[in-house]
Amino acid sequence: GAGVSQSPSNKVTEKGKDVELRCDPISGHTALYWYRQSLGQGLEFLIYFQGNSAPDKSGLPSDRFSAERTGGSVSTLTIQRTQQEDSAVYLCASSSRGSSYEQYFGPGTRLTVT
Amino acid sequence: AQSVAQPEDQVNVAEGNPLTVKCTYSVSGNPYLFWYVQYPNRGLQFLLKYITGDNLVKGSYGFEAEFNKSQTSFHLKKPSALVSDSALYFCAVRDPRMDSSYKLIFGSGTRLLVRP
């Protein structure tokens, strides 16, 4: 079946601009995660959505970052007033409900802030 | 706090030889452990997981990993390496006791290079 999809695959933006990154999870997966992969920083958790529960936003690095998940499916990660340190690969993952289930990752969006 | 350590930035092995990629963790209680692989310009692919039961778990592409509670380790192994195994490997842990989310805590990654 179809995996997790993300768009765009690459995004180059100027410092100070806003960007939106999209994630389409695997159909039927109720949990959705955003992670960031930076050079020298490894993979870091950003935000988690589970069904209709309040999202876990504990990993968002600043208030310039926000995310929504509409209708329990598609998610959008928004970065306002981008900075050069926001340059990274943003990965989305989805899974079935429950802690024992593995997460399936999308191909990522490579964001470059110039 | 939970953490994962991958002590080797890179592992080099000849094709046909056994390989080991090391991972140690620090989690209170019983951890859930995962291995993922990342090929160039691709997302992470799930390889295997340990939740409970047998300490030796088998996964995709002939990989296996051994959970050792006393050493808090979860090393990834393969009896005979292939050139196509060359990639970036991530170990991850999830504390099942956390109520707020089931986020993964990742190690820094180990680059595996299999030479012909």
Side-chain angles (χ1 to χ4, degrees):
Chain A
V4 178
S5 60
Q6 293 185 246
S7 61
S9 55
N10 282 284
K11 177 71 175 179
V12 179
T13 189
E14 292 180 353
K15 178 181 174 181
K17 300 285 189 182
D18 298 351
V19 295
E20 285 189 352
L21 312 179
R22 177 189 168 105
C23 172
D24 212 329
I26 292 173
S27 178
H29 279 183
T30 57
L32 187 147
Y33 303 78
W34 284 96
Y35 294 87
R36 180 168 69 175
Q37 186 175 20
S38 308
L39 279 177
Q41 298 289 328
L43 276 150
E44 58 177 322
F45 165 78
L46 296 177
I47 189 169
Y48 160 72
F49 295 92
Q50 172 59 59
N52 294 322
S53 302
D56 177 1
K57 304 179 182 180
S58 61
L60 295 179
S62 77
D63 58 7
R64 296 186 294 105
F65 287 72
S66 62
E68 290 184 340
R69 188 178 185 191
T70 54
S73 181
V74 172
S75 177
T76 302
L77 177 69
T78 301
I79 308 174
Q80 296 178 312
R81 306 181 302 281
T82 53
Q83 304 294 313
Q84 288 186 332
E85 61 263 29
D86 299 335
S87 296
V89 176
Y90 289 82
L91 293 167
C92 176
S94 70
S95 75
S96 299
R97 185 185 181 95
S99 61
S100 64
Y101 291 100
E102 58 270 24
Q103 296 174 20
Y104 293 89
F105 284 79
T109 294
R110 182 175 296 277
L111 175 66
T112 303
V113 182
T114 61
Chain B
Q2 307 93 292
S3 65
V4 178
Q6 293 181 243
E8 303 153 317
D9 290 336
Q10 182 162 315
V11 169
N12 299 304
V13 65
E15 188 172 34
N17 282 0
L19 69 88
T20 299
V21 182
K22 295 180 181 177
C23 172
T24 58
Y25 64 91
S26 175
V27 171
S28 300
N30 297 317
Y32 290 176
L33 295 157
F34 300 81
W35 274 101
Y36 284 85
V37 59
Q38 186 177 35
Y39 297 100
N41 300 314
R42 303 272 296 274
L44 274 69
Q45 295 181 32
F46 169 75
L47 277 180
L48 50 79
K49 65 182 178 182
Y50 172 81
I51 303 299
T52 187
D54 289 342
N55 289 339
L56 184 65
V57 294
K58 296 186 182 296
S60 307
Y61 312 122
F63 284 93
E64 58 189 29
E66 185 168 12
F67 171 64
N68 188 317
K69 188 172 184 178
S70 62
Q71 297 185 3
T72 61
S73 67
F74 189 56
H75 301 330
L76 181 70
K77 300 181 180 183
K78 188 173 182 180
S80 179
L82 300 173
V83 173
S84 57
D85 293 330
S86 298
L88 187 58
Y89 290 79
F90 289 95
C91 182
V93 66
R94 172 190 288 156
D95 184 347
R97 299 181 308 163
M98 289 181 66
D99 296 330
S100 60
S101 78
Y102 297 135
K103 64 189 178 193
L104 292 171
I105 308 299
F106 285 91
S108 55
T110 298
R111 187 164 300 281
L112 175 66
L113 182 61
V114 182
R115 60 184 185 276

